[in-house]
Amino acid sequence: MRGVLLGLVLERPGHGGDLANRMVTRLGNTWRLDSNDAYRLLEQLEREELLVSREEPGKTNGRRTMIVYHSTPKTSDALSLWMETLLPREPVRFGLHAKLSVARPEDAQRLMVALRDYEQKCLALAQLVTPNGREQRSWGALYMDCTREAVYTQLRAEIDWAASARDRITEYAKSQPAR
Amino acid sequence: MTPLLRIRDVSKAYPDGSGEISVFDKASLELIAGSHVGVYGKRRSGKSTLMRIAAGIDRPDSGSVLFDGLDINSISGVERSRLLRSRLAYIAINDWRPNPGETIVQHLAVSLGGGGLTVREAERKALRQLDVVGVSAAQANSPATQLSMVDRTRVMLARALARDPSLIVIDDPVLTPSVTERENLYRLLRTAARGLGSALLVTSEDLHALQGFDVFVSISARELCSSETTATIVPFPIPPHLGPVRDTGS
């Protein structure tokens, strides 16, 4: 959440509700952030000098003021650092999706490293799944196999997704003229 | 430990109209003697190309392939054929071409002949090998042209096992929608290779089928990614202005 907020503010300043809405637009409803939680996080980021707030007149009602959050000289570096941080080991890494959602072109290399690391972690998890040694078809063997298959299917989807994302970033990079 | 197979910085591209399609860009893979490596990749990801390069059947555009220290791209065609008939077995399901009228055991006996064996001795050896891969004596006398895809792989595996190879390279052995048949065949591959102490390099479009393999490798986006390696910065054709290449050292 912290990294996504930094990325969104870096794109353009916004108040808490605006940032929460932009997060939902970008990441879907599973990421819905309560306005109170958003302000709590934003205040914390301000205390760390990663954001700065200013009271500004509202766009629709000029008499009403709003707390609008702006980036600071530290915001960009903090976002870059977040792009490089390790992610937890759960098979589906929403954190990686979050990073992609606010990535800048200069983050391409960091994303490639994160995606490849994720792909490798998924392969390592697949390797850890104990194989079924029984050839006899019992009900127990069947449901254990179905469970295993669920794990493999999920891991395969993540591996495919990470590979596809890497491929697309590479293709994009190739299409860009060198400066 | 010295790897049995070392694929180093291999690049391969195929012509595509006026341009070309890059299959690998400096891909590397190492396989220890006796280990079982499963390569997962989607259709047209380059699995077959990788297997042919690993077996020395295709040459990479650049990079090297060492089998037990031998550069298999620098040896003569005769030496390569000899290698493929002995220590390095390559199995591709599409290579199944029995003669019309041939039975399974006859087909296998013919390929086992030439080593000083009489026809009867070759047939006896063929029957023993077929038994190892689960093909009964009754089945062995049925026409080779009528085999299912799964049984073709079994027979081709029997042929490979008879040569006591150090490495068995198999390109997508199962073309069957049956989950059970697929699992049983991959289990058979692992068990048979383990029995001989042979290393195994097998591809699959199904990650589930590779359960029990020692190492998982994915092939995608012109790269190989292994479950055994830690993340490293890989050669990546991103222009400098799209981000610094930093070695994380991890």
Side-chain angles (χ1 to χ4, degrees):
Chain A
M1 291 290 187
R2 282 165 55 90
V4 177
L5 283 173
L6 291 177
L8 292 172
V9 171
L10 207 54
E11 283 175 8
R12 67 167 194 271
H15 55 78
D18 168 52
L19 292 167
N21 286 339
R22 279 158 61 195
M23 189 185 279
V24 171
T25 309
R26 203 72 65 90
L27 287 162
N29 275 319
T30 50
W31 282 77
R32 187 171 289 282
L33 185 64
D34 179 69
S35 289
N36 289 334
D37 289 339
Y39 277 110
R40 205 171 300 126
L41 261 175
L42 289 163
E43 280 166 14
Q44 193 188 332
L45 290 168
E46 188 170 20
R47 281 197 296 277
E48 294 172 31
E49 296 177 359
L50 299 176
L51 296 179
V52 61
S53 67
R54 288 183 207 138
E55 212 168 315
E56 294 176 10
K59 280 181 184 165
T60 49
N61 181 353
R63 281 175 297 182
R64 195 176 152 205
T65 57
M66 308 199 87
I67 308 279
V68 177
Y69 287 86
H70 294 256
S71 59
T72 72
K74 291 182 179 178
T75 312
S76 184
D77 282 348
L79 182 65
S80 300
L81 197 64
W82 177 67
M83 287 284 172
E84 289 170 5
T85 53
L86 293 173
L87 296 155
R89 275 179 62 115
E90 69 267 31
V92 178
R93 288 189 187 185
F94 292 112
L96 195 49
H97 303 180
K99 286 178 181 183
L100 272 165
S101 74
V102 291
R104 304 152 298 181
E106 63 264 35
D107 293 317
Q109 187 69 59
R110 296 181 186 94
L111 285 176
M112 289 294 280
V113 173
L115 286 163
R116 200 165 196 279
D117 175 59
Y118 181 41
E119 196 172 331
Q120 189 260 323
K121 290 279 177 1
C122 285
L123 288 167
L125 286 173
Q127 196 184 326
L128 288 176
V129 181
T130 317
N132 176 17
R134 289 171 289 185
E135 205 160 340
Q136 289 297 320
R137 296 282 108 185
S138 65
W139 176 248
L142 184 133
Y143 71 66
M144 284 304 291
D145 266 357
C146 288
T147 311
R148 281 191 195 91
E149 194 161 11
V151 175
Y152 281 113
T153 304
Q154 191 178 19
L155 290 172
R156 186 180 62 195
E158 290 303 301
I159 290 167
D160 290 349
W161 167 75
S164 166
R166 286 197 295 117
D167 213 11
R168 293 173 76 152
I169 294 170
T170 309
E171 290 300 321
Y172 172 82
K174 271 189 192 167
S175 69
Q176 297 300 299
R179 283 177 199 158
Chain B
M1 189 183 284
T2 311
L4 176 67
L5 181 73
R6 178 178 278 175
I7 299 173
R8 180 64 58 90
D9 291 336
V10 161
S11 295
K12 182 77 181 173
Y14 290 113
D16 180 40
S18 56
E20 60 179 24
I21 294 175
S22 170
V23 185
F24 305 118
D25 188 21
K26 294 189 174 174
S28 297
L29 177 71
E30 288 187 354
L31 189 144
I32 305 293
S35 66
H36 296 177
V37 176
V39 179
Y40 163 72
K42 291 202 286 189
R43 194 167 291 178
R44 300 182 66 78
S45 58
K47 298 188 299 296
S48 298
T49 303
L50 177 68
M51 293 300 105
R52 286 198 299 271
I53 285 174
I57 291 165
D58 267 6
R59 277 170 184 268
D61 298 333
S62 62
S64 61
V65 182
L66 300 180
F67 175 72
D68 210 6
L70 177 75
D71 183 347
I72 57 175
N73 291 311
S74 66
I75 59 177
S76 68
V78 174
E79 284 174 304
R80 192 174 302 119
S81 299
R82 196 175 298 140
L83 185 64
L84 284 167
R85 284 198 306 271
S86 55
R87 296 189 57 212
L88 205 171
Y90 170 75
I91 299 174
I93 195 76
N94 292 330
D95 289 349
W96 176 256
R97 292 187 192 95
N99 295 316
E102 212 171 37
T103 63
I104 295 168
V105 70
Q106 284 166 346
H107 176 74
L108 193 54
V110 167
S111 67
L112 296 179
L117 298 177
T118 64
V119 173
R120 187 164 293 178
E121 283 169 340
E123 285 192 355
R124 245 185 256 131
K125 187 174 180 182
L127 279 172
R128 277 199 305 273
Q129 292 301 330
L130 287 168
D131 185 51
V132 170
V133 298
V135 177
S136 66
Q139 266 183 300
N141 287 308
S142 57
T145 47
Q146 289 174 13
L147 275 184
S148 70
M149 287 290 193
V150 172
D151 285 336
R152 282 182 203 182
T153 309
R154 285 178 190 275
V155 176
M156 290 170 96
L157 178 65
R159 189 168 64 192
L161 293 174
R163 292 164 184 163
D164 199 9
S166 308
L167 171 63
I168 306 171
V169 177
I170 312 180
D171 184 18
D172 222 346
V174 193
L175 297 167
T176 170
S178 162
V179 176
T180 312
E181 278 191 337
R182 212 159 46 217
E183 281 181 15
N184 287 344
L185 189 66
Y186 275 88
R187 193 182 295 116
L188 171 68
L189 294 177
R190 290 203 319 271
T191 311
R194 197 78 75 198
L196 282 180
S198 308
L200 202 53
L201 182 62
V202 186
T203 65
S204 176
E205 279 180 38
D206 177 10
L207 192 64
H208 190 198
L210 296 175
Q211 60 178 304
F213 276 68
D214 302 320
V215 180
F216 281 43
V217 173
S218 69
I219 177 168
S220 56
R222 292 170 286 280
E223 288 179 359
L224 299 177
C225 186
S226 167
S227 59
E228 286 292 280
T229 56
T230 52
T232 52
I233 301 276
V234 292
F236 172 52
I238 274 192
H241 68 281
L242 282 181
V245 177
R246 284 161 48 176
D247 191 344
T248 60
S250 61

